[in-house]
Amino acid sequence: MLYLAVLIGIISIVITDKLTQAFKLSSIWGPFGQICASLVIIMVGKLEVSYINLGNHFELGYLTIPFTLLFLVGFTNVMNIEKMQNPSILLLPFISLVCFSMSAFIIGNSFVLITGICASLTIMFILLYGYFSGKAFVGRTLTTSIGFVIAVLSISLIKISIITIYIPIFTLAIPFTLYYFIKDKFTSIQSIKVSTLTAILFGVLMFIVPFHLMWYFVVGLTIILIITQFSRKYRFI
């Protein structure tokens, strides 16, 4: 049912975005579609975070659905694109999805592994099509759909270990924030290259640094990321 829930959620996001653009509706309809898609994941896919394991077992209780909903909607918007972008920007979620797939393979989570591989191959096809045809452009509908898939995969792994929140934050959110930070100082391609190398670096660190030390990276760099969210220019939530 979780695979079906993801498909329904993506369709809901795409339809909402297309209708909003076609009829020039209020931008509030975008988040509304994302909330509906997230509720499908929670209610139909039965995917939620009911506890957090930080050494001690913290039960979320009545906050389970609000926390899961906030997480899903927040990370669905991790690639907050307003204008058409060079398709090379998809290298960032591609790296993140590869990290998800590798982690799922190690942990033994078949849903994340299969979904991550399928999403990675889809992005690779779009990148190759854009490279050879020169016609592919990346817009908000596509990046929101990719963000939704990444959010679902994140929730799936966080149920196993909270440390896996490292993947969406440090292989996508921070590199993408870096891209917006430097894109006015360099060309678009140069900014994408720097951000991509940063994502690869963080991805490699995840498989080198011991998990008990990784938590310090998560806490420290998350604080830095939260500070950047006070500026609308670098905000993704």
Side-chain angles (χ1 to χ4, degrees):
M1 288 300 290
L2 189 51
Y3 292 102
L4 178 61
V6 172
L7 180 60
I8 294 173
I10 292 174
I11 292 174
S12 173
I13 289 174
V14 171
I15 290 176
T16 303
D17 280 354
K18 292 301 183 183
L19 289 177
T20 301
Q21 295 171 17
F23 296 100
K24 295 181 170 50
L25 302 176
S26 171
S27 59
I28 193 65
W29 285 100
F32 177 76
Q34 296 165 21
I35 291 173
C36 291
S38 299
L39 288 174
V40 169
I41 293 295
I42 295 172
M43 302 301 180
V44 178
K46 306 298 181 182
L47 183 63
E48 59 185 29
V49 179
S50 58
Y51 65 89
I52 296 176
N53 191 358
L54 293 174
N56 295 321
H57 204 72
F58 294 98
E59 293 288 344
L60 292 177
Y62 292 112
L63 295 177
T64 294
I65 292 180
F67 175 83
T68 306
L69 187 62
L70 178 63
F71 190 97
L72 287 170
V73 174
F75 275 93
T76 295
N77 289 283
V78 69
M79 294 185 67
N80 195 2
I81 290 179
E82 297 295 338
K83 299 179 181 179
M84 291 292 185
Q85 295 283 342
N86 187 307
S88 297
I89 195 68
L90 293 180
L91 285 170
L92 296 180
F94 175 78
I95 293 169
S96 187
L97 287 166
V98 169
C99 289
F100 271 114
S101 300
M102 293 174 64
S103 299
F105 178 77
I106 295 171
I107 294 172
N109 189 311
S110 60
F111 168 74
V112 175
L113 177 61
I114 294 173
T115 306
I117 291 175
C118 291
S120 299
L121 292 175
T122 301
I123 291 178
M124 180 57 68
F125 173 78
I126 295 172
L127 287 170
L128 291 174
Y129 176 78
Y131 177 78
F132 288 109
S133 69
K135 297 179 180 179
F137 292 96
V138 177
R140 183 171 180 82
T141 301
L142 176 60
T143 56
T144 303
S145 300
I146 293 173
F148 176 71
V149 172
I150 289 176
V152 173
L153 299 187
S154 301
I155 286 288
S156 299
L157 289 187
I158 284 174
K159 289 180 66 176
I160 301 172
S161 173
I162 187 65
I163 302 298
T164 55
I165 197 174
Y166 175 96
I167 301 175
I169 292 179
F170 297 108
T171 63
L172 183 58
I174 287 182
F176 196 73
T177 301
L178 176 64
Y179 167 75
Y180 268 108
F181 184 77
I182 65 175
K183 75 184 184 79
D184 294 331
K185 302 176 178 63
F186 301 94
T187 65
S188 176
I189 295 298
Q190 289 174 331
S191 301
I192 290 173
K193 286 181 179 179
V194 172
S195 303
T196 300
L197 289 174
T198 302
I200 293 174
L201 173 62
F202 280 127
V204 170
L205 284 176
M206 181 181 65
F207 298 101
I208 295 178
V209 179
F211 254 38
H212 68 278
L213 295 179
M214 186 62 72
W215 181 245
Y216 295 103
F217 281 96
V218 172
V219 173
L221 293 180
T222 300
I223 291 174
I224 296 175
L225 186 64
I226 290 174
I227 292 174
T228 65
Q229 300 309 293
F230 289 104
S231 171
R232 188 177 185 276
K233 183 177 180 180
Y234 313 121
R235 187 177 303 155
F236 69 87
I237 296 178

